[in-house]
Amino acid sequence: MRVAIGSDHAGFRLKESLKEYLEDMGVDFVDVGTDSEESVDYPDYAKKVCELLKRGEVDRGILICGTGLGMSMAANKCRGVRAALCLFPEMARLARSHNNANVLVLAGRLMGAELAKWTLKAFLETEFEGGRHERRIKKLEGIE
Ligand code: RB5
């Protein structure tokens, strides 16, 4: 699996910490920035991750801003993207198994690194259940 990870300034520190975790897990990733805590605009980084996903260059995306809200709003404007703001591992497990989420959104100012790592682990390791959930995903796509 290959993932794209991006953040704004408020998610930068958590992004750096999660990159180490991805390396430890042997997950291949591309970092689209940002590269410091200097103020930037979260939609720019949501767009970069979503474009890689849409082009099929990565299988999943990870986005981090302060609350996770702005990144969620931005990513869910991209066709084919199902971005889920997950604040703990069970949310990530259900976002994958029921919603087939392809982008995990984390809150850099609200989550500690350890909680974020467990949430990311659940997101990467959980498969979509399909079945009745497939019908609901089709209806989501119908709204697009
Ligand atoms: C940046 O200050 C903050 O607004 C941003 O990281 C995010 O939380 C927006 O939703």
Side-chain angles (χ1 to χ4, degrees), residues 13 16 23-24 38 44 48 56 58 60 62-63 86 88 95 104 114 129:
R13 278 184 192 208
E16 295 307 298
E23 270 164 12
D24 291 348
E38 192 177 320
D44 297 335
K48 285 174 198 271
V58 297
R60 298 207 194 143
I62 305 163
L63 287 168
C86 299
F88 48 87
L104 171 68
E114 204 61 27
E129 274 178 26

Side-chain angles (χ1 to χ4, degrees), residues 8-10 42 65-71 109:
D8 71 354
H9 53 288
Y42 59 80
C65 63
T67 59
L69 293 170
M71 284 295 196
R109 286 182 175 155

Side-chain angles (χ1 to χ4, degrees), residues 106-127:
L106 298 166
R109 286 182 175 155
L110 305 178
M111 299 172 82
E114 204 61 27
L115 178 61
K117 279 182 201 172
W118 288 108
T119 304
L120 173 58
K121 183 175 175 12
F123 182 77
L124 295 178
E125 291 182 350
T126 307
E127 291 302 321

Side-chain angles (χ1 to χ4, degrees), residues 82-141:
R82 289 177 300 280
L85 169 58
C86 299
L87 299 176
F88 48 87
E90 182 63 3
M91 285 183 82
R93 191 186 68 74
L94 288 165
R96 285 288 310 133
S97 59
H98 287 194
N99 309 113
N100 201 11
N102 49 13
V103 174
L104 171 68
V105 185
L106 298 166
R109 286 182 175 155
L110 305 178
M111 299 172 82
E114 204 61 27
L115 178 61
K117 279 182 201 172
W118 288 108
T119 304
L120 173 58
K121 183 175 175 12
F123 182 77
L124 295 178
E125 291 182 350
T126 307
E127 291 302 321
F128 178 48
E129 274 178 26
R132 67 188 189 283
H133 302 298
E134 189 70 65
R135 183 180 72 240
R136 293 160 186 167
I137 300 301
K138 289 270 177 305
K139 288 189 179 184
L140 267 184
E141 287 167 355

